[in-house]
Amino acid sequence: MVINGRELSASLKAQMAAQVVELTKQYGRAPHLVVILVGEDPGSVSYVTGKSKAADEVGIRNTTLRRDASISEQELLDLIAELNADDTVDGILVQLPLPKHIDEDKVIAAIAVEKDVDGFHPLNVARLWLKQSCVLPCTPKGIIKLLKSADIEISGKEAVVIGRSNIVGLPVAKLLTDENATVTVAHSRTRNLAEVTRRADILVVAIGKERFVTADMIKPGAVVIDVGVNRDSRNGKLCGDVDFETCEPVASYITKVPGGVGPMTICCLMENTIECFVKRMNR
Ligand code: GUN
């Protein structure tokens, strides 16, 4: 069975669109998301375009601020300070990665925590790990929604996450732990990786290597969630980290790239923007 992230995100966006109509009446304006894009990285440009399109669909006012890759760290920090102070801005997202001369940690920490729609601010990360109320990072949140939408039992299951990034691997491992899975985080230094992944009832792959997971690495009947966004070296098309053709017959549930996790990430960004807006309006 393919878990269709595009379908699920479309239905969630329709619900949010109705909610935003009501919120706009209630508070006199729509939520406002500002996305900062530095440079011209094609992947980042395409992500940012997708975010803006989704915001339009949901009725979220959205502004994309494009800056040259040569922008200084201080100029970027000044821009963020300006948006922090702007009461008409509810969410701020700085598209990553940033050019090498800019310290990403410093930039993320500069975003007002109440406007951190990515859930990347150190205070939101701490709140996540302490199980306190917080903005959840979009991709991990979207993955849990995908699993729940397919009525997949998480509690008591063996979950293996391949990848230990701050954006996906570590937070999704935490959310799966909170759902009572037994979680292993595997990565590039893991020995006998296939042996580890074959234990997984739920396998989340976020490693960024095209067709990295093959059928022999999957336990029959496992649930496979593919977070990868790669260019297929055979045809230049978008592809995931999982070799879909060979893995699909072995898995019970599997996601596709595109049309799996990606749309859910964007959908959760819309949800987080609405959440930040409502919180700010009720301060
Ligand atoms: N780059 C890749 N994924 C993300 C994301 O979820 N948020 C931001 N800001 N940048 C990204």
Side-chain angles (χ1 to χ4, degrees), residues 23-71:
L23 290 171
T24 304
K25 276 189 216 153
Q26 190 178 343
Y27 295 114
R29 68 169 181 85
H32 184 196
L33 170 66
V34 176
V35 175
I36 303 174
L37 173 61
V38 179
E40 311 271 335
D41 174 67
S44 292
V45 172
S46 116
Y47 284 132
V48 167
T49 309
K51 287 165 185 175
S52 154
K53 190 171 154 276
D56 287 341
E57 283 169 31
V58 172
I60 293 174
R61 179 182 166 203
N62 63 97
T63 308
T64 301
L65 301 176
R66 296 187 71 150
R67 292 293 182 270
D68 197 85
S70 66
I71 189 173

Side-chain angles (χ1 to χ4, degrees), residues 2-282:
V2 174
I3 316 178
N4 189 329
R6 196 169 279 146
E7 238 171 59
L8 177 60
S9 89
S11 95
L12 293 172
K13 280 189 288 188
Q15 288 172 28
M16 284 190 279
Q19 188 192 1
V20 168
V21 169
E22 290 308 310
L23 290 171
T24 304
K25 276 189 216 153
Q26 190 178 343
Y27 295 114
R29 68 169 181 85
H32 184 196
L33 170 66
V34 176
V35 175
I36 303 174
L37 173 61
V38 179
E40 311 271 335
D41 174 67
S44 292
V45 172
S46 116
Y47 284 132
V48 167
T49 309
K51 287 165 185 175
S52 154
K53 190 171 154 276
D56 287 341
E57 283 169 31
V58 172
I60 293 174
R61 179 182 166 203
N62 63 97
T63 308
T64 301
L65 301 176
R66 296 187 71 150
R67 292 293 182 270
D68 197 85
S70 66
I71 189 173
S72 73
E73 184 180 279
Q74 193 53 52
E75 284 169 324
L76 185 54
L77 293 171
D78 290 345
L79 174 59
I80 291 169
E82 206 178 293
L83 297 169
N84 284 345
D86 185 340
D87 216 31
T88 69
V89 173
D90 304 293
I92 303 169
L93 181 148
V94 180
Q95 185 63 35
L96 305 177
L98 289 169
K100 297 265 177 292
H101 66 276
I102 300 176
D103 182 344
E104 280 185 2
D105 290 343
K106 207 164 162 183
V107 169
I108 290 167
I111 297 169
V113 65
E114 69 274 13
K115 299 187 180 187
D116 171 35
V117 286
D118 259 330
F120 292 170
H121 189 284
L123 195 48
N124 272 325
V125 176
R127 286 170 177 163
L128 165 68
W129 287 86
L130 296 170
K131 265 178 125 170
Q132 295 171 2
S133 152
C134 64
V135 168
L136 295 176
C138 304
T139 302
K141 184 178 182 179
I143 291 170
I144 301 294
K145 276 187 197 286
L146 272 178
L147 293 171
K148 291 191 171 173
S149 78
D151 277 326
I152 293 160
E153 175 89 31
I154 305 173
S155 182
K157 296 294 178 64
E158 290 276 347
V160 174
V161 178
I162 313 182
R164 52 178 157 178
S165 71
N166 291 335
I167 294 184
V168 183
L170 293 180
V172 80
K174 171 60 177 160
L175 293 183
L176 288 165
T177 305
D178 291 347
E179 295 289 340
N180 302 310
T182 303
V183 183
T184 303
V185 179
H187 45 76
S188 55
R189 303 282 178 89
T190 299
R191 277 180 290 169
N192 304 322
L193 179 65
E195 221 167 84
V196 175
T197 58
R198 272 199 302 269
R199 293 205 300 263
D201 301 308
I202 299 169
L203 180 63
V204 178
V205 192
I207 192 167
K209 289 184 180 156
E210 128 187 38
R211 279 187 300 277
F212 181 81
V213 169
T214 44
D216 58 298
M217 296 168 74
I218 297 173
K219 173 160 89 176
V223 175
V224 180
I225 305 292
D226 189 349
V227 188
V229 184
N230 311 300
R231 284 281 154 205
D232 192 326
S233 55
R234 297 177 302 192
N235 56 23
K237 287 188 183 159
L238 211 59
C239 74
D241 293 346
V242 175
D243 186 30
F244 182 83
E245 278 69 32
T246 62
C247 292
E248 193 258 345
V250 183
S252 59
Y253 291 91
I254 190 166
T255 63
K256 266 188 173 170
V257 179
V261 173
M264 292 306 297
T265 297
I266 292 181
C267 182
C268 290
L269 174 65
M270 300 304 121
E271 210 178 89
N272 287 352
T273 304
I274 295 170
E275 196 179 304
C276 288
F277 169 71
V278 171
K279 273 217 181 99
R280 277 173 29 75
M281 288 295 141
N282 288 295

